[in-house]
């Protein structure tokens, strides 16, 4: 039976693609994708049928992929990062749901932009974090700002996707102002453009200054939480080991037990009382 494979290409270089993703692309009868993403796997393409489209043609790509599977072809629909993260997988499943189309689908995971960008600047996502897209093409801006406010007040480290475009310059400024209500202006920020591609650039800044940097749609902006700090050219968001152990010798702190829930100072006071 023919299959539709939703293939996450990762950041863009072949070395960052999974072995399975590469094999699926090689063995597919047809490759479908946004033209720059198809170009990423050009070295894996031999005699496969190619369907590539431009920006905002997501429905057309999805429809072409579904139709070819119905015709008996094994199709690889390629996506940057992971197919389920701001990519084609949600649209495919929505179309299959609405149309009641009975085809086999397999999702091949890929390294997300958040993971790829974070790897270049240390451990900025070392504790609870979230991703928020600042594109309002499909989501109303008031919903996006509501999510930024919630993530900021909950002290999540945040990766902003689609932070700025030629037509959309102010969304990142508004996001910055929301964050400044909850975080120190010196909170470390990384702006990573085109991670693991030829045009890669990494810029480190602070919450009060990062919007002065030059970046666009291909960048991801990683904002640390209230515990994050700069260490040389890295950003570190601690997991919380210092609360339980002394890091110089690994000894468990007084009142704490390995493998058990962390006891806060207030709890210790209650126990001793």
């Amino acid at each position: 039976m023919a299959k539709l494979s939703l293939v996450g290409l990762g950041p863009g270089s072949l070395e960052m693609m999974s072995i399975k993703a590469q094999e699926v692309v090689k063995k597919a009868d047809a490759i479908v994708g946004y033209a720059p993403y198809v170009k990423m796997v050009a070295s894996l393409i031999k005699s496969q049928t190619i369907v590539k489209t431009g920006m905002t043609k997501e429905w057309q790509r999805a429809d072409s992929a579904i139709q070819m599977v119905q015709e008996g072809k094994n199709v690889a629909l390629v996506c940057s990062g992971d197919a389920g993260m701001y990519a084609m997988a949600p649209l495919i499943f929505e179309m299959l749901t609405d149309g009641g189309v009975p085809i086999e689908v397999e999702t091949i995971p890929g390294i997300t932009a958040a993971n790829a960008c974070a790897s270049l600047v240390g451990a900025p996502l070392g504790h609870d974090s979230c991703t928020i897209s600042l594109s309002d093409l499909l989501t109303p801006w008031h919903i996006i700002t509501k999510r930024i406010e919630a993530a900021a007040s909950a002290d999540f480290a945040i990766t902003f996707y689609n932070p700025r475009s030629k037509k959309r310059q102010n969304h990142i400024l508004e996001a910055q102002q929301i964050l400044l209500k909850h975080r120190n202006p010196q909170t470390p920020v990384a702006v990573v453009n085109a991670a693991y591609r030829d045009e890669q650039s990494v810029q480190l800044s602070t919450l009060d200054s990062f919007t002065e940097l030059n970046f666009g749609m291909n960048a991801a902006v990683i904002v640390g939480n209230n515990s994050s700090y700069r260490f040389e050219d890295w950003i570190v968001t601690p997991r919380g080991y210092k609360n339980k152990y002394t890091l110089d010798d690994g000894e468990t702190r007084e009142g704490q037990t390995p493998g058990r829930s962390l006891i806060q100072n207030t709890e210790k006071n209650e126990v001793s009382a």
Side-chain angles (χ1 to χ4, degrees):
M1 183 176 179
K3 180 193 299 184
L4 173 57
S5 297
L6 308 175
V7 183
L9 301 180
S13 61
L14 287 182
E15 65 180 6
M16 300 299 284
M17 281 179 64
S18 71
I19 294 172
K20 182 166 185 178
Q22 295 185 44
E23 288 301 312
V24 167
V25 171
K26 289 177 183 177
K27 294 177 180 178
D29 300 314
I31 310 296
V32 179
Y34 176 47
Y37 301 158
V38 173
K39 185 177 179 180
M40 289 179 187
V41 294
S43 63
L44 304 178
I45 297 173
K46 303 302 179 187
S47 59
Q48 300 97 317
T49 300
I50 305 298
V51 176
K52 53 186 178 181
T53 62
M55 189 77 76
T56 75
K57 299 295 184 181
E58 293 88 355
W59 186 91
Q60 288 83 350
R61 292 198 288 277
D63 186 58
S64 294
I66 292 170
Q67 284 191 34
M68 284 193 287
V69 174
Q70 291 177 308
E71 293 166 1
K73 295 183 174 68
N74 287 309
V75 178
L77 177 56
V78 296
C79 305
S80 178
D82 182 86
M85 289 282 291
Y86 306 116
M88 293 295 295
L91 177 58
I92 287 289
F93 285 113
E94 287 182 81
M95 291 173 67
L96 296 179
T97 301
D98 287 356
V101 181
I103 64 171
E104 184 178 353
V105 182
E106 179 183 26
T107 301
I108 313 299
I111 297 173
T112 69
N115 295 140
C117 295
S119 74
L120 296 171
V121 293
L125 306 180
H127 209 324
D128 297 333
S129 65
C130 67
T131 60
I132 300 176
S133 171
L134 296 188
S135 171
D136 59 357
L137 291 176
L138 300 173
T139 305
W141 179 239
H142 75 274
I143 297 294
I144 297 172
T145 56
K146 195 174 181 180
R147 292 171 179 171
I148 298 169
E149 184 75 47
S153 64
D155 201 29
F156 282 101
I158 305 171
T159 303
F160 288 111
Y161 282 56
N162 307 310
R164 183 186 278 162
S165 68
K166 290 181 180 178
K167 295 181 180 179
R168 181 171 39 76
Q169 294 287 313
N170 292 327
H171 285 8
I172 191 65
L173 298 175
E174 196 169 334
Q176 178 191 40
Q177 292 308 306
I178 293 171
L179 288 167
L180 282 169
K181 293 189 299 182
H182 300 274
R183 296 189 192 174
N184 189 304
Q186 294 303 300
T187 300
V189 174
V191 178
V192 182
N193 182 72
Y196 295 97
R197 302 181 195 175
D198 292 340
E199 62 271 32
Q200 172 185 298
S201 69
V202 178
Q203 303 174 86
L204 298 181
S205 185
T206 55
L207 183 56
D208 62 351
S209 302
F210 80 93
T211 53
E212 299 169 13
L213 301 175
N214 183 31
F215 59 89
M217 286 287 287
N218 287 332
V221 175
I222 303 177
V223 181
N225 68 12
N226 279 310
S227 298
S228 303
Y229 62 91
R230 275 280 300 272
F231 170 63
E232 298 180 352
D233 289 333
W234 308 113
I235 295 175
V236 181
T237 299
R239 177 85 186 278
Y241 286 100
K242 277 188 177 181
N243 296 326
K244 196 157 212 172
Y245 308 100
T246 55
L247 299 189
D248 57 346
D249 59 12
E251 289 296 317
T252 305
R253 292 189 180 278
E254 182 181 356
Q256 303 295 336
T257 304
R260 300 291 295 274
S261 297
L262 181 71
I263 298 177
Q264 300 293 316
N265 286 331
T266 54
E267 294 178 58
K268 285 192 276 189
N269 291 336
E270 289 172 5
V271 170
S272 61

